[in-house]
Amino acid sequence: MDGMTTTIAPVLILLGPPGAGKGTQARMLEEQFGLVQLSTGDLLRAAVANGTEAGKQAKAVMEAGDLVSDEIVIAILRDRLAEPDCAKGVILDGFPRTTVQAQALDALLAESGQRINAAISLDVDDAAMVTRISGRTTCGGCGEGYHDSFKQPKTAGTCDKCGGTEFKRRADDNAETVASRLEAYHAQTAPLIDYYARAGALSRIDAMGEIQTIATDLAAIVKTTTA
Ligand code: AMP
């Protein structure tokens, strides 16, 4: 495995099932704290769109709502973390999703004498996740996320951020795949809550409320753990 020499500070992790709001909140933290949002889902979707070897292997797995192999995801994340912009600090959205990935991240950071600042669990009710996910859209221009009911653009059909008028829905945001994604979360990712609690790095927030309230709670944790 190639080493990682860049010093990245701080390193924050957002944990939570699909639909918990990790992407939305990570983008807000990116703006507020100048951190880089790193979404392995976005990196994998780009790999699929570009037809890379990793993308070819990941495509069917993602469509089924299962987890892509640790080997592929860790390699993609390691390469991305080595890019210079990550030195200002990262907020990991959707990684790690297994204990093997969490251990790989710890090892990677330890190479340059670092450790994560905080792992923050966005706590939500499963039952609400299907509704949240099925209404999601993303601006095709800048990637800003919207929701048919919870976060509409100020002017219908026009992105608040970039003025784009093309909105996309993810292929895996359908009821059937969402069920598999939630199952994968509970079986493989939820144990990380204990993993980070044992490491003394866990914070939890109630993520069932308003986007702005959650953002305020999250910002308070980021401030304390990166001070
Ligand atoms: P997301 O955009 O985070 O919801 O991820 C979309 C899909 O990409 C997931 O359902 C998985 O198939 C795959 N994926 C993203 N991140 C990971 C990861 N850390 N480990 C394994 N699979 C992942």
Side-chain angles (χ1 to χ4, degrees), residues 11 21 32 39 43 63 72 76 82 91 102 142 147 168 175 178 209:
V11 181
Q32 193 179 348
S39 150
L43 294 171
E63 279 167 3
I72 291 180
I76 285 186
I91 173 121
C142 70
H147 192 280
K168 301 185 292 192
V178 169

Side-chain angles (χ1 to χ4, degrees), residues 40-41 44-45 62 66 68 73 94-95 97 101 170 181:
T40 40
L44 287 165
R45 279 184 287 280
M62 291 172 75
D66 295 329
V68 174
V73 178
F95 183 98
R97 261 175 157 100
Q101 292 177 19
R170 276 170 50 171
R181 288 162 63 199

Side-chain angles (χ1 to χ4, degrees), residues 16-25 27 37 39 41-42 45 62 93-94 97 122 124 128-140 143-153 166-175 177-178 181-182 211:
K22 300 186 296 295
T24 305
Q25 296 296 338
R27 284 176 73 92
Q37 175 202 11
S39 150
D42 285 349
R45 279 184 287 280
M62 291 172 75
D93 150 19
R97 261 175 157 100
L122 303 188
V124 290
M129 293 306 103
V130 177
T131 322
R132 278 207 194 176
I133 292 176
S134 30
R136 298 203 297 200
T137 56
T138 309
C139 169
E144 182 69 4
Y146 292 94
H147 192 280
D148 295 342
S149 315
F150 309 126
K151 188 187 166 198
Q152 296 158 344
E166 218 176 277
F167 292 83
K168 301 185 292 192
R169 276 181 207 272
R170 276 170 50 171
D172 61 348
D173 277 353
N174 59 72
T177 309
V178 169
R181 288 162 63 199
L182 284 171
I211 292 174

